Amino acid sequence: MSVIVDFQCAYDGDIPDEALFTQWAEAALFEVNEDCELSIRLVDESESAELNGQYRGKNKPTNVLSFPFDAPIKLEPRLLGDLVICVPVVRKEAQEQGKAELHHWAHMVIHGCLHLLGYDHIESDEAEQMETLEINILHQLDIANPYEWQGVES
């Protein structure tokens, strides 16, 4: 199984190395037993707020938006969809939560990829399942539980 990441950067500033995004996506997509492709687009607060308002009815930037693609026919490689990640929001959250910025980046990519696979966190049992997967995947990357920070477990 291989993961192809169509990487797009619409943000003018320092970002993690592109290869890390592929590494994080591959870790998240371990259960996909076929070649797959997704897009990851890094954006500023303005673009994030616009997309969040248009698709979620929330007029503010957010860390990651996931747009799953449900192909009407089987495609090779399997097209999973798009992730849109807001660079300033991810940086701010990492700082506020006392996390290593790269660790928070990894979490956002993994979180978004799981959404592309159909995982969600609306209901508490769904949230628990998704968070457990995130924790386990991040653990394999030697990254601590993202839901325990500043000595508080959420």
Side-chain angles (χ1 to χ4, degrees):
M1 185 269 307
S2 68
V3 176
I4 301 165
V5 174
D6 173 25
F7 187 77
Q8 304 170 10
C9 186
Y11 179 81
D12 187 27
D14 192 34
I15 57 164
D17 186 83
E18 184 177 335
L20 288 171
F21 290 91
T22 300
Q23 177 187 347
W24 298 327
E26 287 173 344
L29 300 171
F30 71 94
E31 70 177 46
V32 178
N33 294 319
E34 58 189 316
D35 293 344
C36 58
E37 182 174 351
L38 71 144
S39 295
I40 298 177
R41 180 175 174 83
L42 304 184
V43 300
D44 60 18
E45 289 172 311
S46 173
E47 186 172 339
S48 177
E50 181 179 331
L51 290 169
N52 201 21
Q54 182 176 354
Y55 292 100
R56 295 180 64 228
K58 299 181 179 187
N59 295 315
K60 63 179 186 173
T62 189
N63 50 26
V64 60
L65 291 166
S66 302
F67 299 96
F69 179 71
D70 188 19
I73 59 171
K74 183 171 172 64
L75 299 172
E76 292 183 25
R78 177 181 169 191
L79 300 178
L80 297 176
D82 304 325
L83 300 181
V84 178
I85 304 174
C86 182
V87 177
V89 170
V90 171
R91 286 198 171 128
K92 181 180 178 187
E93 288 176 346
Q95 184 178 26
E96 289 174 349
Q97 297 172 15
K99 297 177 182 176
E101 190 175 305
L102 279 180
H103 291 184
H104 195 50
W105 275 106
H107 182 211
M108 292 301 95
V109 171
I110 290 164
H111 183 88
C113 284
L114 291 178
H115 276 306
L116 295 180
L117 294 177
Y119 291 94
D120 212 334
H121 47 80
I122 295 171
E123 303 293 327
S124 62
D125 59 331
E126 293 175 334
E128 187 175 324
Q129 180 186 22
M130 187 171 177
E131 289 175 8
T132 298
L133 264 173
E134 291 170 351
I135 292 164
N136 291 338
I137 294 166
L138 288 163
H139 178 74
Q140 293 173 8
L141 297 171
D142 293 323
I143 298 174
N145 181 342
Y147 298 101
E148 293 178 352
W149 49 278
Q150 298 178 347
V152 177
E153 186 174 346
S154 62

